[in-house]
Amino acid sequence: MESTVQIACQQCGTCCLANVNCYVTDEDLERWKREGRDDILHIIEHEHAMWVGDHLVSSLDGHYLHGCSFLTWEGTHYACSIYATRPSVCRDYQPGSSEICTQFNQNHHF
Ligand code: SF4
Ligand code: SF4
């Protein structure tokens, strides 16, 4: 039986290390257009993460990318700078539900 225990997000940012641009849906794009979020649309349309050696850089200006372009460090934890309107893939992700989350093992006792 699957555990129903809710795993609390530790805001470690690990699940935000992907290039989220690949997972943006048409629905996300439509919402950002409605909300007038040209800032988000600009980044999604123009900035792509590229591998250079063992790290990712921006295709825009080559600056070092530490995962998603919208991930920010708040001094004690990571946060999403577009949290209220983040992509559906991020909205739907349940902490601890897959190996990408650092809390994954706490939810599964084999
Ligand atoms: S949009 Fe926000 S929640 Fe989604 S991967 Fe980027 S920083 Fe994480
Ligand atoms: S990897 Fe898990 S604990 Fe870390 S930010 Fe993502 S959901 Fe939260």
Side-chain angles (χ1 to χ4, degrees):
M1 193 176 146
E2 210 164 293
S3 169
T4 54
V5 174
Q6 288 281 316
I7 298 294
C9 173
Q10 304 299 313
Q11 295 186 278
C12 68
T14 303
C15 63
C16 301
L17 296 179
N19 180 10
V20 80
N21 295 23
C22 311
Y23 305 101
V24 164
T25 63
D26 289 344
E27 198 179 69
D28 292 324
L29 294 171
E30 285 306 317
R31 185 178 66 259
W32 292 328
K33 279 179 199 155
R34 269 200 318 275
E35 294 173 347
R37 295 301 301 263
D38 292 345
D39 55 334
I40 299 175
L41 291 167
H42 183 82
I43 289 174
I44 295 296
E45 285 164 19
H46 298 281
E47 184 167 84
H48 299 284
M50 300 186 311
W51 284 107
V52 173
D54 62 353
H55 61 281
L56 289 168
V57 298
S58 164
S59 63
L60 275 185
D61 58 10
H63 78 267
Y64 176 77
L65 286 177
H66 182 64
C68 176
S69 308
F70 305 109
L71 185 63
T72 57
W73 173 246
E74 298 288 320
T76 53
H77 61 274
Y78 281 98
C80 175
S81 62
I82 59 166
Y83 188 79
T85 190
R86 66 198 184 285
S88 51
V89 66
C90 310
R91 210 176 285 271
D92 294 343
Y93 185 71
Q94 296 296 318
S97 63
S98 72
E99 285 176 1
I100 197 173
C101 179
T102 52
Q103 303 302 302
F104 178 64
N105 287 332
Q106 293 185 18
N107 197 26
H108 292 78
H109 304 285
F110 295 108

